[in-house]
Amino acid sequence: MTIIIPRLLLLLAIFASQTEARASQGLQVQLPHGGWLLGRHRTTHSGRHMRAFMGIPYALPPLGELRFRPPIPQPGWEGERLALKDAPICMQRDPFRRDMLIEGSEDCLYLNVYTPDPVEIAGDKLLPVMVWFHGGGWQCGSGISSFYGPDFLLDHNIVLVSANFRLGPLGFLSTETLDCPGNNGLKDQLQVLRWIRDNVAAFGGDPQQVTVFGESAGGASVTYHMLSPQSRGLLHRGIAQSGTYYNPWAQPAHKGVAAKRAAKLTQLVDCDAAGEDWAAKLKCLRSKPAEQIVATLYDMFLWDFDPMIPFPPVIEPQHDDAFLTELPRETSAPPHGQQLPLMLGVTSEEGLLKTAALLNLPQLLSEFKTRFEQLLPVVLNYDHHANETQQQITQHIETFYFKAGHNYNKSNHQNLTDLISDGWFVAGVDEYLQMRLQDKQQSVAPTYVYLFDHKGAASFSELFKGGHNEFYGACHAEELQYLFPIGQELFVSAVPTRQDLQLRELMLRLWVNFASSGDPNPVIGTSNLPSWLPASSYPVTYARLGTKLDLDANNDELVPPLLRMEAALLQHRVDFWRQLKAHLPAHRRSSHQHNEL
């Protein structure tokens, strides 16, 4: 032992000195408030060196009296803080998994920053910043590295920031009064953008070149930040994947709904004894365990897991910290985001998010068919209309999508999937494009539109009860596995095809090019793909990304281009929804009933 102990101490001393040496070469970063962060070294998918700073607090923990209040900026710290691992995810229930698990922590307002190793970057130029806001219906999901990691994107010269923000009732409860005006999850995102403005230069990121990108509710969040005056100047480009604030699940609930759901929550946790006194009810709610608050989410659903998002954004009463005070369709001035370059798109079978379960859970499908007229208004968010109007809408939908009747099944589902795709995603994205491209008050920045239409080795429909051995289409969230290493966790037995790998490299370059310049196209002469042309008028030109053909990997002549320019995105279907909205009775579309189709 007299020989082993000195050798062990010597090895520990050498290791400590090496750790200090590595930190002095870039793993230590000093923030403007004076405190330091110690990050860790990682490598990308291709083996490139990068730095990871994880679990950085951007706001005070929203605990106790800070629950249901806007985030308070993290004031900083003295000395060195370790930033070596992910923070807990925000407390949540995930209805898309169809389980009863409650997971996460209320103390969750943290972000991650990933940068290339400075040694691998030529020169001292600040890098473009890409900020990721995750999807999950503002009720589940996270920004942690085990899911939305930097392994693919950091093969390129960018700074990547991913963040947690409050979800479900903890993030979006609203009394529709100044007691709790709501939108705290979006205000968390706003605080992330303010933190980036103030701190990202310390990591080598350019605070004047910030691209916010997100998928589903994250995509809708991007468009909300392009609308809210609070976010003006904090982002310079946007990428909205499968979501805008015109999607029915993302629109502010019509007047009174948020307050009714808040009242129901107080009843469920025995905080309703105070009558109409919201201050007393909120005091009671702040005394309850966070798990008890989050558990109420499932009690807000009317059928299955619908309406899909019980706690969406809301219109707030006027006050200094308000994020949203006007309906998106009734803004007094054009959104400031009209001046920002935008990339916007959908997958070809978005609706598998819902129909994968319908097709594979026989009891659920039977109930849906039997009670179609009662359930469809709930599923597609038009149950706030008068019964007569609901019946008219349902009849129009049946005539358009189900001419042959309700005979859909696992092998004959396209019309059903198209209906959910259009009602939940495509029509809302199309309306946003109409608004943006038909703006007659000002010139609009370039708008790049895509349709992700690819058959890969694995499909997200598997996660939504679609099974592992059947391909139903390019499901909602399908494109994420080409931007992030999600497949390593979710699809461990899937072997990427050659087309998968080529599409991944293509999409990474498109996304990074857009974040770097506002134009997704590579430098002229460096690619044999057609140029992705911006949409300049409506109907739109768009890029179809991927292929669904089963291809012979050894015969390149059979491989179609993975980017093909086409015109009029799903025009026949979006025209139907445009006409349907136009024919709604005018008195049914008042400002108090604005959660339209």
Side-chain angles (χ1 to χ4, degrees), residues 124-197:
D124 298 324
K125 182 180 179 181
L126 293 176
L127 299 177
V129 181
M130 297 184 71
V131 187
W132 175 252
F133 290 144
H134 65 81
W138 295 303
Q139 55 195 347
C140 59
S142 74
I144 62 175
S145 64
S146 62
F147 206 69
Y148 295 116
D151 306 46
F152 298 161
L153 282 163
L154 262 294
D155 274 331
H156 303 269
N157 283 342
I158 61 154
V159 171
L160 175 65
V161 180
S162 61
N164 292 336
F165 47 89
R166 282 173 286 177
L167 303 164
L170 292 175
F172 289 88
L173 183 82
S174 173
T175 64
E176 300 186 53
T177 67
L178 292 178
D179 302 283
C180 179
N183 294 330
N184 286 321
L186 290 172
K187 293 171 185 175
D188 292 343
Q189 295 178 0
L190 177 65
Q191 180 55 33
V192 170
L193 297 181
R194 289 171 172 165
W195 186 95
I196 289 169
R197 175 196 61 195

Side-chain angles (χ1 to χ4, degrees), residues 137-139 168-169 172-174 258 261-262 265 296-297 300 309-313:
W138 295 303
Q139 55 195 347
F172 289 88
L173 183 82
S174 173
R261 289 175 181 164
L265 188 150
T296 65
L297 177 69
M300 302 296 168
I309 301 180
F311 294 98

